Amino acid sequence: MLEKKKYDLLDEVQKSAKLVDIHYIRQKEPNGLGHAIWCARKFIGQEPFAVLLGDDIISAEKPCLRQMIEKYERYNSSIIGVQHVTDEEVSRYGIVDGRWVEDALYQINHLVEKPKRGEAPSNLAIMGRYILNPGIFDILGNQNPGAGGEIQLTDAIATFNQTEAVYAYNFEGTRYDVGEKMGFIQTTIEFALQREELRSELLRYLTRVMEREAEHAG
Ligand code: G1P
């Protein structure tokens, strides 16, 4: 990039490389989210930590994790990021049954991973953002497989909640699901539209596509 004088690109790559130290560990078998988190226990030690699931992208004025850290600092308790979903969607998520505490914050009574429609305790769904106290590792180490035969983080949090209160926070922002094919396409378009250098060209392209499709349909 230096030789090709692509200084803008170089700057972008260097900026993110300097931001943090990156350690990684491979989950050697597909045993579920709870197991994946447990694999990282040695990096984390005895500190509270954040979990961000890569399938869930959140666009917000104040970053979602910042909003949650503020709640964590206030309550000193584990916090799960949630948003409302429709009745049709509950079976795709971990669902929270909570008692309203203050604006957008709930103290959790119970959590269920991917309940059937009609069996969900509410429409508050876990959106791939968590701040957890390290006590969760004691539970994850002994957690039995749950939904889908996998070790579920949601189940471990439900057990943890019996000894240490866990809260759910309905954060502000728009959540995109890049784990779904349509969600991936929509997210790409939405984020591209937010970028100055792409916006007008993309809009022209989308208009051309619409016109072409209308012609074919007519
Ligand atoms: C995971 C969690 C689930 C959560 C979801 C959010 O499920 O187990 O509780 O609601 O992420 O995206 P997955 O999407 O990995 O099946």
Side-chain angles (χ1 to χ4, degrees):
M1 277 182 255
L2 194 59
E3 274 170 27
K4 291 181 181 156
K5 297 196 165 53
K6 293 186 173 169
Y7 298 118
D8 287 359
L9 286 180
L10 182 66
D11 193 43
E12 237 173 86
V13 174
Q14 285 181 336
K15 240 198 278 171
S16 46
K18 280 182 199 150
L19 213 55
V20 282
D21 287 333
I22 296 175
H23 300 261
Y24 77 92
I25 187 145
R26 221 164 62 84
Q27 182 187 23
K28 295 185 187 79
E29 44 203 321
N31 255 352
L33 175 61
H35 176 253
I37 305 296
W38 189 73
C39 290
R41 68 198 178 283
K42 287 184 198 140
F43 290 144
I44 294 162
Q46 281 310 306
E47 289 192 60
F49 61 100
V51 176
L52 291 83
L53 304 188
D55 281 2
D56 296 308
I57 309 258
I58 292 150
S59 158
E61 208 168 299
K62 184 190 279 186
C64 173
L65 202 56
R66 165 56 43 212
Q67 297 176 40
M68 289 174 59
I69 289 171
E70 285 173 8
K71 294 292 173 197
Y72 180 88
E73 284 172 345
R74 182 122 160 251
Y75 287 84
N76 236 321
S77 296
S78 302
I79 312 264
I80 306 177
V82 295
Q83 280 197 336
H84 288 284
V85 294
T86 62
D87 291 346
E88 292 77 53
E89 291 172 324
V90 287
S91 60
R92 284 172 35 199
Y93 298 94
I95 301 291
V96 163
D97 166 23
R99 181 179 62 80
W100 185 84
V101 179
E102 56 156 29
D103 95 286
L105 192 79
Y106 301 80
Q107 184 171 346
I108 295 177
N109 296 323
H110 192 55
L111 304 133
V112 227
E113 180 66 12
K114 307 203 170 75
K116 290 200 187 96
R117 189 184 167 172
E119 289 176 14
S122 80
N123 287 55
L124 279 180
I126 302 173
M127 289 301 175
R129 294 292 182 277
Y130 312 75
I131 298 180
L132 298 170
N133 277 332
I136 192 77
F137 288 120
D138 298 336
I139 296 158
L140 280 173
N142 300 306
Q143 185 64 50
N144 289 324
E150 296 183 339
I151 297 177
Q152 297 292 349
L153 181 61
T154 305
D155 297 345
I157 296 173
T159 309
F160 192 37
N161 186 45
Q162 288 167 13
T163 50
E164 202 184 294
V166 179
Y167 290 79
Y169 177 59
N170 187 349
F171 59 84
E172 277 171 31
T174 309
R175 175 257 183 183
Y176 297 92
D177 183 0
V178 295
E180 299 277 321
K181 287 177 195 153
M182 249 341 257
F184 183 85
I185 296 167
Q186 284 167 358
T187 313
T188 309
I189 294 175
E190 291 293 342
F191 277 75
L193 286 174
Q194 285 169 27
R195 297 187 72 125
E196 265 316 288
E197 78 275 23
L198 296 173
R199 187 181 163 79
S200 44
E201 198 177 329
L202 178 59
L203 279 174
R204 275 200 301 277
Y205 170 71
L206 291 174
T207 312
R208 274 204 314 275
V209 171
M210 296 293 292
E211 285 166 359
R212 185 189 68 203
E213 292 303 310
E215 234 169 74
H216 281 219

Coordinates of all heavy atoms in Angstrom, one line a residue, residues 51 53 56 58 64-65 67-68 71 78-84 93-94 96 104-106 108 111 124-132 157 166-172 175:
V51 N -19.2 -9.8 25.5 CA -19.3 -10.7 24.4 C -20.1 -10.0 23.3 O -21.1 -9.4 23.5 CB -20.1 -12.0 24.8 CG1 -20.4 -12.9 23.6 CG2 -19.4 -12.7 26.0
L53 N -21.5 -10.8 19.5 CA -21.6 -11.9 18.4 C -21.6 -11.2 17.1 O -22.3 -10.2 16.8 CB -23.0 -12.6 18.6 CG -23.2 -13.3 19.9 CD1 -24.5 -14.1 19.9 CD2 -22.0 -14.1 20.3
D56 N -24.5 -10.1 14.7 CA -25.4 -9.0 15.1 C -24.6 -7.7 15.0 O -23.6 -7.5 15.7 CB -25.9 -9.1 16.5 CG -26.8 -10.3 16.7 OD1 -27.7 -10.5 15.9 OD2 -26.5 -11.2 17.6
I58 N -24.8 -3.6 15.2 CA -25.7 -2.5 15.7 C -25.2 -1.2 15.4 O -24.0 -0.8 15.6 CB -25.8 -2.7 17.2 CG1 -26.6 -4.0 17.5 CG2 -26.6 -1.5 17.9 CD1 -26.2 -4.7 18.7
C64 N -23.7 0.7 21.2 CA -24.4 -0.2 22.1 C -23.6 -0.6 23.3 O -24.1 -0.6 24.4 CB -24.9 -1.4 21.3 SG -25.7 -2.7 22.2
L65 N -22.4 -1.0 23.1 CA -21.6 -1.5 24.2 C -21.3 -0.4 25.2 O -21.3 -0.6 26.4 CB -20.2 -2.1 23.7 CG -19.6 -3.0 24.6 CD1 -20.5 -4.2 25.0 CD2 -18.3 -3.6 24.0
Q67 N -23.4 2.0 25.9 CA -24.7 2.2 26.6 C -24.7 1.1 27.7 O -25.1 1.3 28.9 CB -25.9 1.9 25.7 CG -26.0 3.0 24.6 CD -27.2 2.6 23.7 OE1 -28.2 2.2 24.1 NE2 -27.0 2.8 22.4
M68 N -24.3 -0.1 27.4 CA -24.3 -1.2 28.3 C -23.3 -1.1 29.4 O -23.6 -1.4 30.6 CB -24.2 -2.5 27.6 CG -25.4 -2.9 26.8 SD -25.2 -4.3 25.7 CE -24.9 -5.6 27.0
K71 N -24.6 1.0 32.1 CA -25.5 0.3 33.0 C -24.7 -0.6 34.0 O -25.0 -0.7 35.1 CB -26.6 -0.5 32.2 CG -27.5 0.3 31.4 CD -28.4 1.1 32.3 CE -29.3 2.1 31.5 NZ -29.9 3.1 32.2
S78 N -24.1 -8.2 35.7 CA -24.1 -8.7 34.3 C -25.3 -8.1 33.6 O -26.4 -8.0 34.1 CB -24.1 -10.2 34.2 OG -23.1 -10.7 34.9
I79 N -25.1 -7.7 32.3 CA -26.1 -7.0 31.5 C -26.2 -7.7 30.1 O -25.2 -8.0 29.5 CB -25.8 -5.5 31.2 CG1 -25.4 -4.8 32.4 CG2 -26.9 -4.8 30.4 CD1 -26.4 -4.0 33.1
I80 N -27.4 -8.0 29.7 CA -27.6 -8.5 28.4 C -28.3 -7.5 27.5 O -29.3 -6.9 27.9 CB -28.5 -9.8 28.4 CG1 -27.9 -10.8 29.4 CG2 -28.6 -10.4 27.0 CD1 -28.8 -12.0 29.6
G81 N -27.9 -7.3 26.3 CA -28.5 -6.3 25.3 C -29.7 -7.0 24.7 O -29.6 -8.1 24.1
V82 N -30.9 -6.4 24.8 CA -32.1 -7.0 24.2 C -32.9 -6.0 23.3 O -32.7 -4.7 23.5 CB -33.1 -7.5 25.3 CG1 -32.5 -8.7 26.0 CG2 -33.5 -6.4 26.2
Q83 N -33.7 -6.5 22.4 CA -34.7 -5.6 21.7 C -35.9 -6.4 21.5 O -35.9 -7.7 21.6 CB -34.1 -5.2 20.4 CG -33.1 -4.0 20.5 CD -32.8 -3.3 19.2 OE1 -33.0 -3.8 18.1 NE2 -32.4 -2.0 19.3
H84 N -37.0 -5.7 21.2 CA -38.3 -6.4 21.0 C -38.3 -7.1 19.6 O -37.8 -6.5 18.6 CB -39.4 -5.4 21.0 CG -39.7 -4.9 22.4 ND1 -40.4 -5.7 23.3 CD2 -39.4 -3.8 23.0 CE1 -40.5 -5.1 24.5 NE2 -39.9 -3.9 24.3
Y93 N -34.4 -16.7 18.9 CA -33.5 -16.0 19.9 C -33.6 -16.6 21.3 O -34.5 -17.4 21.6 CB -34.0 -14.5 20.0 CG -33.9 -13.8 18.7 CD1 -35.0 -13.7 17.8 CD2 -32.7 -13.1 18.4 CE1 -34.9 -13.0 16.6 CE2 -32.6 -12.4 17.2 CZ -33.7 -12.4 16.3 OH -33.6 -11.7 15.1
G94 N -32.7 -16.1 22.1 CA -32.8 -16.3 23.6 C -33.8 -15.2 24.0 O -33.7 -14.0 23.6
V96 N -36.0 -13.2 27.1 CA -35.9 -12.8 28.5 C -37.2 -12.5 29.1 O -38.1 -11.9 28.6 CB -35.0 -11.5 28.5 CG1 -35.2 -10.7 29.8 CG2 -33.6 -11.7 28.1
A104 N -36.0 1.2 30.2 CA -35.4 0.2 29.3 C -34.5 -0.8 30.0 O -33.8 -1.6 29.4 CB -34.5 0.9 28.2
L105 N -34.5 -0.8 31.4 CA -33.7 -1.8 32.1 C -34.7 -2.8 32.9 O -35.6 -2.4 33.5 CB -32.8 -1.1 33.1 CG -31.7 -2.0 33.7 CD1 -30.6 -2.3 32.7 CD2 -31.2 -1.5 35.0
Y106 N -34.4 -4.1 32.7 CA -35.2 -5.1 33.4 C -34.3 -6.0 34.2 O -33.2 -6.3 33.8 CB -35.9 -6.0 32.3 CG -36.7 -5.3 31.4 CD1 -36.2 -4.6 30.3 CD2 -38.1 -5.2 31.6 CE1 -37.0 -3.9 29.4 CE2 -38.9 -4.5 30.7 CZ -38.4 -3.9 29.6 OH -39.2 -3.2 28.7
I108 N -33.8 -9.7 35.4 CA -34.2 -10.9 34.7 C -34.8 -11.9 35.8 O -34.1 -12.2 36.8 CB -33.0 -11.6 33.9 CG1 -32.7 -10.7 32.8 CG2 -33.4 -13.0 33.4 CD1 -31.5 -11.1 32.0
L111 N -34.7 -16.9 31.6 CA -34.4 -16.8 30.2 C -34.6 -18.1 29.5 O -34.3 -19.1 30.2 CB -32.9 -16.5 30.0 CG -32.2 -15.4 30.7 CD1 -30.9 -15.9 31.3 CD2 -31.8 -14.4 29.6
L124 N -38.9 -9.9 24.4 CA -37.6 -9.3 24.5 C -36.5 -10.3 24.2 O -36.3 -11.3 24.9 CB -37.3 -8.8 26.0 CG -38.0 -7.5 26.4 CD1 -37.6 -7.3 27.9 CD2 -37.5 -6.4 25.5
A125 N -35.8 -10.1 23.0 CA -34.8 -11.0 22.5 C -33.4 -10.6 22.7 O -33.1 -9.4 22.6 CB -35.1 -11.3 21.1
I126 N -32.5 -11.6 23.1 CA -31.1 -11.3 23.2 C -30.5 -11.0 21.9 O -30.7 -11.8 20.9 CB -30.4 -12.5 23.9 CG1 -31.1 -12.9 25.2 CG2 -28.9 -12.3 24.0 CD1 -30.5 -14.2 25.8
M127 N -29.8 -9.9 21.8 CA -29.2 -9.4 20.5 C -27.7 -9.5 20.4 O -27.1 -8.6 19.9 CB -29.7 -8.0 20.3 CG -31.2 -7.8 20.0 SD -31.6 -8.8 18.5 CE -33.3 -8.7 18.5
G128 N -27.1 -10.5 20.9 CA -25.7 -10.7 20.7 C -24.8 -9.7 21.3 O -23.6 -9.5 20.9
R129 N -25.2 -9.1 22.4 CA -24.3 -8.2 23.2 C -24.5 -8.5 24.7 O -25.6 -8.5 25.2 CB -24.7 -6.7 23.0 CG -24.4 -6.2 21.6 CD -22.9 -6.2 21.2 NE -22.7 -5.6 19.9 CZ -22.7 -6.3 18.8 NH1 -23.1 -7.6 18.8 NH2 -22.5 -5.8 17.6
Y130 N -23.4 -8.8 25.4 CA -23.5 -9.2 26.8 C -22.3 -8.5 27.5 O -21.2 -8.4 27.0 CB -23.3 -10.7 27.0 CG -24.1 -11.6 26.1 CD1 -23.8 -11.8 24.8 CD2 -25.1 -12.3 26.6 CE1 -24.5 -12.7 23.9 CE2 -25.9 -13.2 25.8 CZ -25.5 -13.4 24.5 OH -26.3 -14.3 23.7
I131 N -22.5 -8.2 28.8 CA -21.4 -7.9 29.7 C -21.6 -8.8 30.8 O -22.6 -8.8 31.5 CB -21.4 -6.4 30.2 CG1 -21.2 -5.5 29.0 CG2 -20.2 -6.2 31.1 CD1 -21.2 -4.0 29.4
L132 N -20.6 -9.7 31.1 CA -20.8 -10.7 32.0 C -19.7 -10.7 33.1 O -18.5 -10.4 32.9 CB -20.7 -12.1 31.3 CG -21.8 -12.3 30.3 CD1 -21.5 -13.6 29.5 CD2 -23.2 -12.4 30.9
I157 N -26.5 -18.4 31.8 CA -26.9 -17.2 32.4 C -28.1 -17.4 33.3 O -28.2 -16.8 34.4 CB -27.1 -16.1 31.3 CG1 -25.9 -15.8 30.5 CG2 -27.7 -14.8 32.0 CD1 -26.0 -14.8 29.4
V166 N -28.9 -10.8 37.1 CA -28.5 -10.4 35.8 C -29.6 -9.5 35.2 O -30.8 -9.7 35.5 CB -28.3 -11.6 34.9 CG1 -27.9 -11.2 33.4 CG2 -27.3 -12.6 35.4
Y167 N -29.2 -8.4 34.5 CA -30.2 -7.4 34.0 C -30.2 -7.5 32.4 O -29.3 -7.9 31.8 CB -29.8 -6.0 34.4 CG -29.9 -5.8 35.8 CD1 -29.0 -6.2 36.8 CD2 -31.1 -5.1 36.3 CE1 -29.2 -6.0 38.1 CE2 -31.2 -4.8 37.7 CZ -30.3 -5.3 38.6 OH -30.5 -5.1 39.9
A168 N -31.4 -7.1 31.9 CA -31.5 -7.0 30.4 C -31.7 -5.5 30.1 O -32.5 -4.8 30.8 CB -32.7 -7.8 29.9
Y169 N -31.0 -5.0 29.1 CA -31.1 -3.6 28.7 C -31.6 -3.5 27.3 O -30.9 -4.0 26.4 CB -29.8 -2.9 28.9 CG -29.8 -1.5 28.5 CD1 -30.7 -0.6 29.1 CD2 -28.9 -1.0 27.5 CE1 -30.8 0.7 28.7 CE2 -29.0 0.3 27.1 CZ -29.9 1.2 27.7 OH -29.9 2.5 27.3
N170 N -32.7 -2.8 27.1 CA -33.2 -2.6 25.7 C -32.5 -1.4 25.1 O -32.9 -0.3 25.3 CB -34.7 -2.4 25.9 CG -35.4 -2.3 24.5 OD1 -34.8 -2.2 23.5 ND2 -36.7 -2.3 24.6
F171 N -31.4 -1.7 24.5 CA -30.5 -0.6 24.0 C -31.1 0.2 22.9 O -32.0 -0.3 22.2 CB -29.1 -1.1 23.6 CG -29.2 -2.2 22.5 CD1 -29.2 -1.8 21.2 CD2 -29.2 -3.5 22.8 CE1 -29.3 -2.8 20.2 CE2 -29.3 -4.5 21.9 CZ -29.4 -4.1 20.5
E172 N -30.6 1.4 22.7 CA -31.0 2.2 21.5 C -30.2 1.9 20.3 O -28.9 1.8 20.5 CB -30.9 3.7 21.9 CG -32.1 4.2 22.7 CD -31.9 5.6 23.2 OE1 -31.2 6.4 22.6 OE2 -32.5 5.8 24.3
R175 N -30.5 -2.8 14.9 CA -29.8 -4.0 14.8 C -29.9 -4.7 13.5 O -31.1 -4.8 13.0 CB -30.2 -4.9 16.0 CG -29.6 -6.3 16.0 CD -30.5 -7.3 15.5 NE -30.0 -8.6 15.6 CZ -30.6 -9.7 15.2 NH1 -31.8 -9.6 14.7 NH2 -30.1 -10.9 15.3

